[in-house]
């Protein structure tokens, strides 16, 4: 996990940070019925992972101040809610970015703004974060779950599981890569800075104060990278070259630089400022970007050059001392399941074989299906219209979502080579009606690819799940926890469903859905193979060759991407499999009351958690429906 005390940008950006996977282009059906789609882009991302939600910004406001007291059975639920509120206030206010992107109006929640600062990455800040996390867990465990309401027990169990796992991961702090080429802090920071909302003058002042501290923040990041290198955990030279390239490119001065253009636009729209104030702020921003931010990027590039050649292990975590143990914990955190990597590998293979069998049967039943798959063109090309179409199409199978607005923007040219095909910027919990989706035309291939990507990010994907969970009353403190298996698994699960909303016949939609599932399963298997089984490039090539993918250059690129983001694909695919498995299980156990609508409604009401806890909630939900139907 990342070192405690740093602000994890993925807590507010979903699906950020992925170069498209190498194109796997085939013109024919491989053995077993698998067809790989021409120029299909694959999402890579670190999803929202606020692993260090107790980042240190000084002693004031420490979570150690959140206290619980002995209580009666009647008082315990009230005190528990007070504990959660106090914990949230502390967590949300630990650094400026956390607070700004969590709450649009902190004062309305009784939270005062502190001096603008990034989270503390120093050794002292990291150690303080560990103590605070242990303190929070101790305080949580002082409550008796038997005295809490059903919903409070869900929150209790969710928070306890989360904290316990994060403390286990803290034993492997330097195993995490802060500067992953496609999802590191250097890539994500510009996105959040360009989307930093100015609601009042203090927001502008805080933003400019942050810019002025980027050099210190980057210096701390490099210190962490240097420590990794000293421990023999440095990234390989190829990954460093990508980081260096981005930093040099983004650090190049230009009148239309993202941090200049976005600031000018937001300031000119700020009706709470006078013309003179706008001019002053624009000048200050330009000077700070040119004198502090861009030189900091170039300096980071220069410093990373000094670490080249220090990589000891050019292969997966299996070849690092303690690497398999770390990967096992990382997989648990990424997937929201307790299955060991080899068990997950078995589940993934079983699903792949099932999907390939379905495809083979469909191709055998309809000889024209293969050519129709290869030649299918989705007519709509406007992403805004796609989003509106999806919002209407899902109403039979999903609860209605009203009042949520989403704008769709194109990724800035500076970021396009380094970001995913699309990403969703999570709305603040007190202003979740307005949402932003970005898509990257250079990484999206064709209208159907864009349609399913918009489904993943928008309706019924990330945007929809976030808005609905908030509207159902998701506890504030849970908005700061990370369950990527749930969030990315949900988005992948509904992306599969979206093929059936595209207006094509069911056989064609099913083949395209199962084909995408098979492709993602290959990457998921390779992730476990590389990081747990210890595959080298030759073994990875041998595996992909079994499915007709034998281009060594392509497989080497896949290998390097998986090296940079261990367990990344498992978030998507194992999360998807977990939702699919729960759907099949609930339909079998409760045939008289099960519907997709009710299944999805319970998931959204529950909110992000582990799949074990979600299964308990689903069982209780359908048992209540059965009891109501019998009454």
């Amino acid at each position: 996990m990342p070192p405690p005390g740093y602000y994890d940008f993925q807590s507010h950006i979903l699906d950020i940070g992925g170069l498209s996977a190498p194109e796997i282009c085939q013109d024919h059906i491989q053995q077993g019925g698998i067809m790989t789609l021409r120029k299909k882009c694959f999402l890579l991302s670190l999803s929202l992972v606020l692993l260090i939600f107790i980042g240190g910004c000084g002693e004031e406001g420490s979570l150690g101040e959140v206290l619980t007291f002995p209580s009666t059975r009647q008082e315990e639920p009230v005190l528990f809610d007070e504990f959660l509120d106090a914990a949230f206030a502390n967590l949300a206010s630990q650094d400026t970015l956390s607070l700004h992107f969590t709450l649009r109006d902190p004062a309305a929640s009784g939270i005062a703004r502190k001096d603008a600062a990034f989270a503390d990455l120093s050794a002292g800040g990291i150690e303080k974060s560990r103590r605070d996390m242990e303190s929070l867990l101790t305080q949580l465990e002082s409550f008796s779950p038997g005295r809490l309401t059903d919903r409070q027990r869900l929150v209790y169990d969710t928070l306890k599981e989360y904290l316990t796992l994060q403390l286990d991961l803290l034993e492997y702090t330097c195993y995490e890569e802060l500067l992953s080429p496609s999802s590191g802090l250097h890539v994500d920071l510009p996105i959040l800075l360009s989307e930093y909302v100015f609601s009042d003058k203090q927001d502008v002042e805080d933003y400019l104060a942050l810019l002025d501290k980027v050099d210190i923040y980057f210096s701390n990041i490099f210190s962490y990278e240097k420590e990794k290198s000293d421990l023999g955990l440095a990234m390989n030279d190829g990954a460093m070259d990508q980081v260096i390239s981005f930093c040099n490119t983004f650090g190049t001065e230009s009148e239309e630089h993202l941090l200049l253009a976005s600031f000018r636009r937001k300031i000119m729209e700020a009706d709470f400022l006078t013309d003179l104030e706008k001019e002053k702020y624009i000048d200050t921003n330009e000077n700070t970007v040119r004198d502090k931010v861009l030189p900091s990027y170039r300096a980071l590039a220069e410093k990373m050059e000094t670490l080249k050649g220090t990589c000891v292990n050019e292969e997966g975590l299996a070849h690092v001392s303690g690497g398999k143990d770390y990967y096992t914990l990382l997989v648990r955190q990424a997937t929201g399941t307790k299955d060991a990597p080899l068990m997950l590998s078995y589940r993934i293979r079983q699903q792949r074989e099932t999907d390939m069998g379905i495809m083979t049967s469909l191709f055998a039943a309809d000889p024209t299906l293969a050519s129709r798959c290869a030649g299918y063109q989705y007519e709509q090309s406007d992403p805004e219209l796609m989003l509106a179409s999806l919002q209407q199409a899902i109403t039979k199978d999903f609860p209605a979502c009203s009042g949520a607005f989403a704008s769709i923007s194109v990724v800035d040219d500076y970021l396009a080579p380094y970001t995913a095909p699309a990403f969703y910027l999570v709305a603040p919990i007190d202003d979740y009606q307005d949402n932003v989706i970005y898509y990257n035309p250079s990484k999206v291939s064709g209208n159907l690819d864009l349609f399913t990507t918009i489904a993943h990010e928008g309706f019924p994907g990330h945007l929809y799940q976030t808005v609905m969970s908030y509207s159902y009353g998701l506890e504030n403190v849970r908005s700061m926890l990370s369950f990527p298996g749930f969030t990315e698994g949900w988005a992948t699960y509904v992306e599969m469903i979206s093929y059936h909303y595209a207006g094509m016949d069911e056989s064609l939609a099913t083949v395209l859905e199962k084909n995408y599932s098979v492709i993602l399963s290959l990457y998921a298997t390779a992730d476990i193979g590389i990081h747990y089984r210890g595959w080298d490039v030759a073994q990875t090539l041998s595996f992909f060759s079994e499915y007709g993918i034998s281009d060594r250059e392509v497989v080497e690129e896949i290998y390097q991407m998986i090296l940079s983001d261990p367990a990344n694909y498992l978030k998507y695919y194992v999360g998807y499999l977990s939702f699919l498995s729960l759907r099949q299980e609930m339909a079998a156990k409760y045939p008289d009351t099960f519907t997709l609508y009710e299944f999805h409604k319970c998931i959204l009401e529950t909110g992000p958690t582990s799949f074990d806890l979600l299964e308990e909630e689903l069982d209780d939900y359908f048992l209540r429906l059965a009891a109501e139907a019998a009454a």
Side-chain angles (χ1 to χ4, degrees):
M1 65 178 288
Y6 97 94
Y7 177 75
D8 186 347
F9 300 131
Q10 275 71 43
S11 61
H12 295 285
I13 311 175
L14 293 177
D15 282 325
I16 179 61
L19 293 173
S20 300
E23 294 177 1
I24 301 173
C25 303
Q26 313 277 129
D27 291 322
H28 60 281
I29 308 304
Q30 299 293 339
Q31 182 179 5
I34 178 175
M35 180 178 71
T36 52
L37 297 179
R38 186 178 300 275
K39 297 183 180 178
K40 178 67 182 178
C41 293
F42 308 96
L43 299 178
L44 284 174
S45 73
L46 246 100
S47 62
L48 75 153
V49 185
L50 193 53
L51 301 177
I52 322 305
F53 62 169
I54 315 175
C57 287
E59 292 299 323
E60 183 180 359
S62 165
L63 286 172
E65 298 173 7
V66 182
L67 301 177
T68 58
F69 303 93
S71 65
T72 66
R73 182 178 298 274
Q74 290 74 27
E75 292 172 334
E76 191 106 352
V78 175
L79 290 176
F80 186 73
D81 283 341
E82 292 175 355
F83 162 74
L84 294 180
D85 289 343
F88 167 72
N90 277 281
L91 302 179
S93 61
Q94 289 299 307
D95 66 84
T96 302
L97 285 175
S98 291
L99 182 60
H100 183 80
F101 282 92
T102 300
L103 291 169
R104 186 74 73 217
D105 184 8
S109 297
I111 299 176
R113 300 187 194 187
K114 302 177 182 179
D115 292 341
F118 291 103
D120 187 356
L121 268 174
S122 68
I126 291 174
E127 180 55 33
K128 177 181 179 296
S129 295
R130 182 194 302 272
R131 293 195 307 268
D132 283 346
M133 191 175 293
E134 290 171 343
S135 174
L136 184 59
L137 180 58
T138 298
Q139 294 166 41
L140 176 70
E141 291 176 333
S142 71
F143 290 94
S144 172
R147 293 184 174 187
L148 303 177
T149 66
D150 289 344
R151 180 69 183 193
Q152 286 177 326
R153 280 196 295 274
L154 169 64
V155 180
Y156 178 97
D157 291 340
T158 296
L159 190 53
K160 183 175 180 179
E161 279 191 13
Y162 186 84
L163 288 170
T164 301
L165 180 55
Q166 303 322 310
L167 285 168
D168 288 341
L169 281 164
L170 277 174
E171 301 302 318
Y172 302 90
T173 297
C174 283
Y175 286 66
E176 176 66 20
E177 182 52 69
L178 299 188
L179 297 179
S180 175
S182 60
S183 58
L185 303 182
H186 61 302
V187 177
D188 300 346
L189 181 58
I191 295 171
L192 289 188
L193 290 177
S194 65
E195 286 296 328
Y196 198 103
V197 175
F198 298 152
S199 300
D200 54 34
K201 191 178 295 187
Q202 188 60 52
D203 283 336
V204 183
E205 296 284 352
D206 288 346
Y207 176 90
L208 292 172
L210 282 178
L211 292 190
D212 196 50
K213 298 175 180 178
V214 167
D215 57 341
I216 299 173
Y217 189 59
F218 275 21
S219 178
N220 287 335
I221 291 172
F222 177 73
S223 295
Y224 176 82
E225 293 297 321
K226 179 64 168 62
E227 183 178 0
K228 281 175 61 69
S229 175
D230 293 342
L231 293 172
L233 297 170
M235 69 178 87
N236 61 46
D237 285 1
M240 284 193 194
D241 284 337
Q242 293 182 59
V243 173
I244 292 166
S245 174
F246 177 88
C247 289
N248 281 328
T249 299
F250 194 77
T252 302
E253 293 189 14
S254 165
E255 285 298 321
E256 293 307 312
H257 191 283
L258 173 64
L259 296 186
L260 299 180
S262 63
F263 186 87
R264 285 195 296 265
R265 171 182 55 80
K266 290 183 290 185
I267 285 294
M268 296 309 295
E269 295 172 353
D271 56 11
F272 53 85
L273 297 175
T274 66
D275 289 343
L276 186 60
E277 288 172 329
K278 291 178 180 179
E279 182 179 346
K280 182 195 74 169
Y281 281 133
I282 289 173
D283 286 343
T284 301
N285 180 68
E286 290 182 353
N287 291 333
T288 307
V289 168
R290 291 194 170 108
D291 295 342
K292 277 287 184 71
V293 180
L294 303 188
S296 295
Y297 268 91
R298 297 194 297 268
L300 181 59
E302 291 178 4
K303 291 177 180 178
M304 291 302 291
E305 284 278 4
T306 67
L307 298 185
K308 289 180 65 175
T310 64
C311 177
V312 175
N313 173 41
E314 299 278 351
E315 297 179 344
L317 288 168
H319 298 277
V320 175
S321 176
K324 292 177 73 170
D325 292 336
Y326 166 66
Y327 182 70
T328 299
L329 291 173
L330 187 64
V331 166
R332 184 178 301 176
Q333 188 274 330
T335 64
T337 71
K338 295 179 181 178
D339 286 349
L342 294 183
M343 175 56 71
L344 291 177
S345 185
Y346 172 77
R347 287 178 57 193
I348 292 165
R349 186 181 76 246
Q350 289 293 100
Q351 186 64 43
R352 180 163 61 243
E353 292 174 354
T354 297
D355 290 340
M356 292 172 66
I358 292 171
M359 294 171 68
T360 299
S361 297
L362 288 171
F363 285 131
D366 182 357
T368 71
L369 193 53
S371 61
R372 289 196 292 124
C373 285
Y376 179 78
Q377 297 291 329
Y378 184 70
E379 293 184 0
Q380 182 57 257
S381 60
D382 185 336
E384 298 275 1
L385 293 178
M386 291 178 181
L387 190 66
S389 173
L390 281 162
Q391 191 170 6
Q392 291 297 317
I394 69 174
T395 54
K396 178 183 177 182
D397 298 327
F398 298 84
C401 178
S402 59
F405 171 78
S407 62
I408 299 181
S409 301
V410 176
V411 172
D412 187 87
D413 289 343
Y414 278 97
L415 305 175
Y418 304 92
T419 61
F423 57 87
Y424 164 60
L425 194 66
V426 179
I429 59 178
D430 58 347
D431 185 24
Y432 56 80
Q433 287 76 26
D434 293 329
N435 298 267
V436 180
I437 294 172
Y438 278 89
Y439 82 101
N440 188 347
S442 68
K443 302 289 179 64
V444 178
S445 178
N447 293 345
L448 180 61
D449 192 23
L450 179 58
F451 178 82
T452 57
T453 298
I454 293 298
H456 183 110
E457 306 300 339
F459 292 97
H462 287 311
L463 185 157
Y464 172 80
Q465 181 266 310
T466 300
V467 169
M468 292 300 289
S469 292
Y470 285 173
S471 67
Y472 281 131
L474 185 75
E475 295 76 12
N476 286 347
V477 72
R478 290 179 63 197
S479 71
M480 306 200 69
L481 309 185
S482 168
F483 288 93
F486 184 106
T487 54
E488 297 299 350
W490 169 270
T492 305
Y493 164 78
V494 299
E495 182 178 5
M496 299 294 184
I497 295 175
S498 73
Y499 284 100
H500 300 269
Y501 296 143
M504 65 187 83
D505 68 70
E506 280 300 300
S507 293
L508 181 56
T510 299
V511 166
L512 294 175
E513 171 199 347
K514 299 303 181 184
N515 182 70
Y516 185 45
S517 175
V518 168
I519 291 171
L520 288 181
S521 79
L522 298 178
Y523 283 74
T525 296
D527 195 307
I528 296 171
I530 291 167
H531 289 292
Y532 195 81
R533 296 182 187 272
W535 290 357
D536 57 17
V537 173
Q539 289 169 302
T540 307
L541 176 60
S542 176
F543 166 71
F544 277 101
S545 296
E546 294 176 19
Y547 299 90
I549 303 163
S550 55
D551 186 319
R552 186 177 181 87
E553 183 177 346
V554 168
V555 173
E556 285 180 348
E557 189 174 346
I558 293 171
Y559 189 87
Q560 290 302 316
M561 288 190 304
I562 292 175
L563 278 185
S564 297
D565 280 315
N568 181 56
Y569 276 107
L570 302 185
K571 294 188 272 247
Y572 296 94
Y573 198 69
V574 174
Y576 156 67
L577 289 188
S578 296
F579 281 114
L580 194 62
S581 176
L582 285 173
R583 188 176 78 182
Q584 294 165 348
E585 178 186 342
M586 294 301 135
K589 290 172 68 174
Y590 308 102
D592 295 331
T593 55
F594 178 87
T595 65
L596 279 180
Y597 180 96
E598 296 293 352
F599 176 70
H600 296 150
K601 184 173 184 287
C602 180
I603 292 169
L604 297 166
E605 287 180 344
T606 301
T609 188
S610 70
F611 284 105
D612 283 347
L613 293 177
L614 178 59
E615 182 177 10
E616 293 177 10
E617 292 297 307
L618 284 164
D619 271 321
D620 290 345
Y621 184 84
F622 282 107
L623 283 172
R624 288 197 302 271
L625 289 183
E628 291 169 4

